[in-house]
Amino acid sequence: MTDLSERPRATSRIEKVRSVHVSSSLSTFEGESASFHSAHPPSWNVLLEALPEATALLDGRGVVHYVNGLLTALTGYEPVELIGHDVKLLLPERLRERLLRARRERPPAAVASIWNDEDLTILRRDGIEIPVEVSRSPFALDEGSWVVVAIHDVHTQRANEQARADAELRFRVAFENNMAPMTFADANDRIIAVNDAMCEMVGFTKEELLGCDSTPFTFPDDVGITESTHQRLISGEMEQERYVKRYLRKDGRVIDVEVSRSPARDADGKILYFVFSERDITEERALAAQLSHQALHDPLTGLANRALFEDRLAQAHGRVIRQGGMGAVLLIDLDDFKGVNDTHGHFVGDQLLTAIANRLGLVTRTADTLCRFGGDEFLYLAEGLESPKEAEVLAERLIKVIAEPYNIAGFLIEQRASIGIVIWDSTCTSFSETIQNVDAALYEAKRNLRGHHVVFTPTMHQRAVSRFSLVQELRQAFNAGDLVMHYQPIADLTTSQVVGFEALMRWNHPDRGWVPPNDFIPLAEQSDLILELGSFALRQSILEASKWASEDPSSRRPYVTVNLSAHQFLDPGLVPTIKELLAESALPPDNLVLEITESVALIDIAETMSVLEHLGNLGVGIALDDFGTGFSSLSYLARLSPRIIKIDQSFVRPVDDSLRNDTLLETIISLGRKLDMTMLAEGIETEPQFRRLRRLGCELGQGYLFSPAVPNHEVEAMVGQIFAS
Ligand code: C2E
Ligand code: CA
Ligand code: CA
């Protein structure tokens, strides 16, 4: 056998022969190897070894004469395990048969025909079949035929191709079907791919976008605004940029978009393309803006709320500290606004508040802040004042603006307002103190001068503090049992006999002596304390009255009348409580009369009727207190049909005993009698008053003429008593 290297090769399939150093210890060809070693150019086995494919040299019978290192690596066989053996060793069983048949039919050229099969596989030493592609280079030498077989492993290649295809598919699905708008742009910012979500977001088709940069869908003012960050991205200073930009949709709508942009680079760091991921944040931003607006504004009127006002006041204060000057805070409170709600309902009440807010808004100076402080209160922050007088002029203007009549839902409504004013300068204190002071000024305004304004002075603070401490003291007094019930007798004016008692609360104050209820009940009414005081009065009066008895068994047991505050009357627990107290005390129900005033009865007429019905079912009587001081209409009076009408003291003790007053009293009395109600005159102090009332037909009376309210232990002696007349 001569040097193979001298022969031209029969096929050109194996062409690229890499120059590699191959050691002389390579496996050689059955004892003839020595003759190939010394030659130069390289011997054939060195060449085979250098081939980039797994290669074997077979003779015409299919016997292996040489394998290169790649083939041993591919098959797992050592050269000695293959050399000298039939190549069929490398074939799986089912293919061996075909090979042998081919050899029988077309020897010896058939030796390689089998290798043309497309689905050719070889069997590795570990028994695993792997798909391969084979190229053959048959040649004849010294009458013998030879074949160089190069086996190409398609298994790994196919796996790699598949993996790439899978990845591409995954990417395409992720890109195309992504809900997030995405764009790919080349290094020059030309769009090379966009997904459907992106097209949908900007309203352009793929065809319209491909090849363009972002200009067609960028809001004109925002073109180029992110240029500087792009530069930093391109220079590699940052790996990803995020920015918000306005996009202009094809339909002309402007949207806010959050964009994240990152470059894909090759191994050398050169930018291949950019990946953009976009998000429409228009709604999100609108919502955030709305939420922050809501957090700082009153939902009904749209005015600033307390939090915003507080912030503005702090800012204004800062400016005064820096620049000097003064400002004012005005607390505007609507007088008897509750009456509007009560008479016309909350819907009209809300409309009125909105209308007032609008009017005030129109006269609010641009530098100033108007705020709805709650319910029917507004705050006005006036800045840059020259003098306190200016704040007073402003207050009068606001009062006047509010006082103009309103036409709401067909009702003509007049609304007045009172205003408290605090003037502040650089020495101004905290927000809470400002509010406290302006509140104290408003309190004074409401107390003396409703419909006007009052400017805060430090003595008001003192008074506010003492009011506050009175409430504290009242609470303690109540807990300590310093509140007691006294009883003022009610007399039958015809017989002068005592028939009942009105329960009146008394506060035995350690320093001030007896504090009159007019001084503490209104205070208690501003807090929950009134409910506690009220239920105490009710319980105490019922329990004590249940023990009153006349020495004379023929005279009737006296009834007790108990005053109810608005809170108490509208408390759903009232009827059950009374039921329990009556059961507990065994006081006959018609010995209990509850006093309510007209204004309480009118708060919610439907509710009042229902409470009255329940009380009527229990057998408890109702007295309408302070009659004549309110504005109740006769129709209401008839509907309420109280058992007793208490004519207010002002009718009983008029400033002058004129004929006009007489007629008024006479009219009230005769009206009540016509409606079958018992008339009771309050505050009878003199004999003439008493006689007049008796003459006019008034049935009952109470007053200092008979007796002031007395402690319970003195009641016993008065039961059934006949006052001398
Ligand atoms: P009111 O219900 O109109 O009570 C009648 C007031 O007139 C009582 O004042 C009584 O002492 C006073 N009075 C009685 N006779 C005469 C008189 O001849 N001349 C004068 N000048 N006054 C007379 P008082 O006890 O100071 O009560 C004042 C108001 O406090 C009561 O007016 C009532 O509205 C309220 N009040 C008293 N006790 C209670 C209570 O337990 N609960 C509730 N909710 N209110 C109460
Ligand atoms: Ca009363
Ligand atoms: Ca009264």
Side-chain angles (χ1 to χ4, degrees), residues 485 488 502-506 516-518 520-522 525 530 533-534 537-538 541 562-566 568 595 597 625-626 646 648-649 653 682-685 689 702-705 707-709:
M485 299 312 292
Q488 181 176 41
E502 175 175 8
L504 294 162
M505 196 178 283
R506 296 289 177 262
N518 282 339
F520 65 86
I521 298 259
E525 265 166 355
I530 189 66
L533 294 194
L538 203 53
S541 311
V562 185
N563 293 284
L564 293 186
S565 68
Q568 241 181 318
E595 296 195 8
T597 60
D625 204 359
D626 301 347
K646 299 188 80 170
D648 191 69
Q649 311 192 355
R653 292 182 279 107
E682 289 187 303
I684 307 173
E685 292 183 348
Q689 288 165 359
Q702 61 186 104
Y704 297 162
L705 176 68
S707 164

Side-chain angles (χ1 to χ4, degrees), residues 42-239:
S43 60
W44 63 271
N45 55 344
V46 171
L47 289 176
L48 287 185
E49 203 59 52
L51 288 178
E53 298 278 9
T55 309
L57 177 67
L58 313 181
D59 66 15
R61 289 169 297 131
V63 174
V64 179
H65 286 255
Y66 182 79
V67 290
N68 71 1
L70 288 175
L71 192 126
T72 57
L74 179 67
T75 60
Y77 284 103
E78 290 299 322
V80 289
E81 291 177 295
L82 294 172
I83 291 171
H85 295 278
D86 191 319
V87 74
K88 73 176 186 196
L89 188 69
L90 287 175
L91 292 181
E93 201 64 54
R94 58 192 157 82
L95 292 180
R96 280 183 198 173
E97 192 43 47
R98 258 161 59 193
L99 176 71
L100 295 179
R101 205 174 334 119
R103 278 186 194 157
R104 273 197 308 276
E105 285 165 11
R106 284 176 287 145
V111 67
S113 65
I114 175 111
W115 302 109
N116 287 337
D117 284 356
E118 280 182 357
D119 60 344
L120 191 65
T121 60
I122 60 167
L123 193 64
R124 289 196 330 205
R125 189 174 191 274
D126 58 11
I128 291 175
E129 273 184 49
I130 53 168
V132 289
E133 266 171 22
V134 171
S135 51
R136 318 161 282 135
S137 308
F139 59 94
L141 185 70
D142 300 338
E143 322 283 270
S145 51
W146 298 88
V147 186
V148 173
V149 175
I151 300 173
H152 179 63
D153 168 19
V154 293
H155 171 71
T156 327
Q157 183 191 334
R158 276 189 200 155
N160 287 344
E161 274 165 10
Q162 188 58 45
R164 201 163 42 245
D166 285 352
E168 253 174 45
L169 181 69
R170 273 200 303 275
F171 176 77
R172 220 177 24 253
V173 170
F175 176 72
E176 288 298 345
N177 301 347
N178 204 318
M179 308 243 296
M182 286 177 81
T183 313
F184 279 61
D186 65 16
N188 297 318
D189 264 348
R190 305 265 152 219
I191 294 173
I192 49 180
V194 286
N195 67 0
D196 291 347
M198 176 66 186
C199 293
E200 207 171 293
M201 187 175 81
V202 293
F204 287 94
T205 62
K206 270 186 190 150
E207 293 67 36
E208 286 170 319
L209 294 175
L210 289 174
C212 302
D213 62 10
S214 62
T215 315
F217 54 85
T218 301
F219 184 67
D221 287 359
D222 286 6
V223 171
I225 56 162
T226 49
E227 210 50 54
S228 58
T229 40
H230 289 348
Q231 287 312 320
R232 293 172 58 199
L233 193 70
I234 291 166
S235 69
E237 209 177 308
M238 50 198 240
E239 257 322 294

Side-chain angles (χ1 to χ4, degrees), residues 487-521:
Y487 301 93
Q488 181 176 41
I490 297 167
D492 178 327
L493 296 188
T494 333
T495 63
S496 294
Q497 195 179 21
V498 174
V499 290
F501 293 86
E502 175 175 8
L504 294 162
M505 196 178 283
R506 296 289 177 262
W507 177 3
N508 192 2
H509 193 282
D511 308 324
R512 309 183 197 203
W514 290 105
V515 181
N518 282 339
D519 283 7
F520 65 86
I521 298 259

